[in-house]
Amino acid sequence: MKMKLYMNNICHLKIRLIQIVAIFILLSLTSCGNGYEQFFKQESKEVFGNKLQNYSRIILIPGIGCTGCISSAEKYFRKNVNDSSCLYIFTNYISFKGLGLRLGGKENLSRQNVYLDSNNVFMPSCFNESSYPLQISLENGKVKTIKKL
């Protein structure tokens, strides 16, 4: 009798585990299902509101991913940091202090055209784009195109 009860409990636990895994997979797919462009439009509207009207493009630079690509994007930032028509978003960095040192000092990270995405909102791992720096072209504050930098 005890053995039958034990086997019955194990069976229920397995079914429950499968249900939990299925729900997790479903949630993961729905949060990434619309494509990165749609995702970025929604998130940028929530984070920046109408402030994107001030920029013609966004350079989004992840801290983790294609290291050569990221180094090139950081070099681009150092060279063009004074371009006020460009918004730079740094996301998925382990240490913004280390980033500041690499980019010429923390004052570069305090500029009005720099956004430090400390919650990694703009680079969820479910998108292929999350490994590469991106250039996002804007027109009247709205996303026009997104391409790898």
Side-chain angles (χ1 to χ4, degrees):
M1 183 72 167
K2 286 184 179 182
M3 184 63 138
K4 189 175 181 181
L5 185 60
Y6 176 75
M7 294 302 282
N8 197 18
N9 283 340
I10 288 177
C11 185
H12 286 299
L13 286 174
K14 284 181 181 179
I15 291 171
R16 191 68 175 154
L17 181 63
I18 290 170
Q19 289 173 334
I20 291 170
V21 169
I23 289 170
F24 178 75
I25 290 170
L26 183 64
L27 289 174
S28 296
L29 291 175
T30 57
S31 66
C32 296
N34 293 334
Y36 187 75
E37 186 171 337
Q38 187 64 33
F39 168 82
F40 185 85
K41 286 177 181 179
Q42 180 180 338
E43 292 301 320
S44 62
K45 188 174 185 178
E46 288 179 25
V47 172
F48 300 111
N50 292 330
K51 292 179 185 176
L52 290 182
Q53 301 262 358
N54 301 330
Y55 304 103
S56 61
R57 69 187 183 291
I58 298 170
I59 304 295
L60 198 144
I61 305 173
I64 299 172
C66 172
T67 53
C69 306
I70 294 167
S71 295
S72 295
E74 289 175 353
K75 185 177 179 180
Y76 179 88
F77 169 80
R78 286 190 305 270
K79 186 177 178 182
N80 298 288
V81 68
N82 293 319
D83 180 1
S84 61
S85 69
C86 183
L87 173 64
Y88 296 93
I89 299 175
F90 293 93
T91 187
N92 209 2
Y93 277 83
I94 294 168
S95 167
F96 286 115
K97 183 177 181 180
L99 175 65
L101 293 172
R102 281 197 314 280
L103 297 179
K106 65 180 181 181
E107 60 276 350
N108 277 343
L109 298 182
S110 301
R111 294 176 176 268
Q112 206 142 24
N113 64 333
V114 174
Y115 179 77
L116 302 178
D117 180 17
S118 57
N119 293 321
N120 301 328
V121 170
F122 291 105
M123 282 295 186
S125 61
C126 58
F127 292 111
N128 291 335
E129 292 87 349
S130 65
S131 297
Y132 301 96
L134 300 175
Q135 178 172 312
I136 300 149
S137 299
L138 302 173
E139 193 171 278
N140 299 321
K142 298 188 189 294
V143 174
K144 187 176 176 185
T145 61
I146 297 177
K147 65 179 184 176
K148 293 177 184 171
L149 189 61

